[in-house]
Amino acid sequence: MRYRLTTTILAMTALLAGAISGPAAAAAPGGPAAAGGPAVATTPYPGPTLTCPPALPVSGWVVAATDRSLTIGYSMLLTPPCGYNPPVTVTLFTSSDDARQWQNPVAEAVSGPERNGTVTIAGLTPGTAYWYRFSADGHHDPYVVGTARTTSPAACAATVTIDSAWAGGFVATVTVRNVGTEVLNSWYVSWGWTGGERLVSVWNGVVRDGGVANAPYNGTLAAGGSTTFGMLVAAGTSSTQLTPACTR
């Protein structure tokens, strides 16, 4: 009886081993093919799907403007494949349609290797609106379309000459010059006091909003022409420092 039981257990063990290593095992995905049978393809498991964060790959803003140049700031938050690597190219257009379609660019400049910095584009037209866009890694950024404007050229300039000064004030002559290319029909000179000063009297000019505007007879200046006005200033100190600014 013990002999028969042992024989039965051995037979069952042999059958189970054959079932595991036989054709059924060869047909399992990823398992070896049965001897002489067809090869079975392995089905790969899908990898993780890349999800980029909801942020612009590059952003930009206007840092400074002159009558002939624009300085554009940029920041590259994301790296490839969700963003770009520097350098950044800033391209200017003179209409929003051209900017959106990337056609008829009028100027461009390239940044350094920094991921955050500024780009200055010179040789522009005074008093003109521009639209800017970014490129990097050989790609046109599809998101950012910014606007900027160059300043108008200075119409006039003013300089101050101190004629006499004392502890309680001074007398000064201000020269106004047309530095533009067209006739100047009016002018206004302003400045910031260093503290405690006040205008006592003005000649060849009219006091207005803390500064001095032209008189009726000396407001028109040809290109390169100049005129002067004088002023008496009361001051609590002996300071005579004035930095005038001239506008139309």
Side-chain angles (χ1 to χ4, degrees):
M1 185 69 178
R2 180 181 300 175
Y3 170 77
R4 291 181 180 178
L5 179 60
T6 303
T7 303
T8 301
I9 294 174
L10 291 174
M12 292 178 65
T13 302
L15 288 173
L16 289 171
I20 294 173
S21 61
V40 178
T42 300
T43 302
Y45 290 100
T49 301
L50 175 67
T51 302
C52 294
L56 291 175
V58 59
S59 58
W61 57 94
V62 179
V63 175
T66 70
D67 61 336
R68 295 286 181 176
S69 70
L70 291 172
T71 299
I72 307 298
Y74 69 91
S75 177
M76 306 181 77
L77 178 63
L78 305 177
T79 59
C82 295
Y84 313 117
N85 283 318
V88 176
T89 299
V90 181
T91 304
L92 297 184
F93 306 84
T94 53
S95 76
S96 60
D97 287 341
D98 284 348
R100 296 183 185 282
Q101 298 178 39
W102 282 95
Q103 64 184 16
N104 304 319
V106 296
E108 68 178 24
V110 182
S111 76
E114 301 81 13
R115 298 194 64 84
N116 301 278
T118 61
V119 176
T120 298
I121 306 176
L124 305 180
T125 303
T128 302
Y130 292 92
W131 284 256
Y132 61 86
R133 300 203 67 177
F134 297 105
S135 301
D137 276 344
H139 301 286
H140 290 161
D141 173 71
Y143 303 108
V144 178
V145 181
T147 59
R149 178 181 288 274
T150 52
T151 61
S152 298
C156 56
T159 56
V160 177
T161 300
I162 303 300
D163 300 316
S164 61
W166 55 94
F170 59 88
V171 173
T173 298
V174 180
T175 300
V176 180
R177 184 176 300 278
N178 181 355
V179 296
T181 59
E182 300 177 353
V183 174
L184 185 67
N185 294 315
S186 64
W187 49 262
Y188 173 74
V189 177
S190 60
W191 57 87
W193 295 120
T194 58
E197 300 90 344
R198 63 181 178 85
L199 281 172
V200 176
S201 62
V202 170
W203 49 98
N204 292 335
V206 177
V207 178
R208 191 186 75 191
D209 301 327
V212 176
N214 59 273
Y217 51 82
N218 64 353
T220 300
L221 298 176
S226 65
T227 189
T228 62
F229 69 88
M231 58 184 181
L232 171 62
V233 177
T237 67
S238 59
S239 173
T240 58
Q241 297 298 316
L242 287 178
T243 302
C246 184
T247 58
R248 293 179 184 274

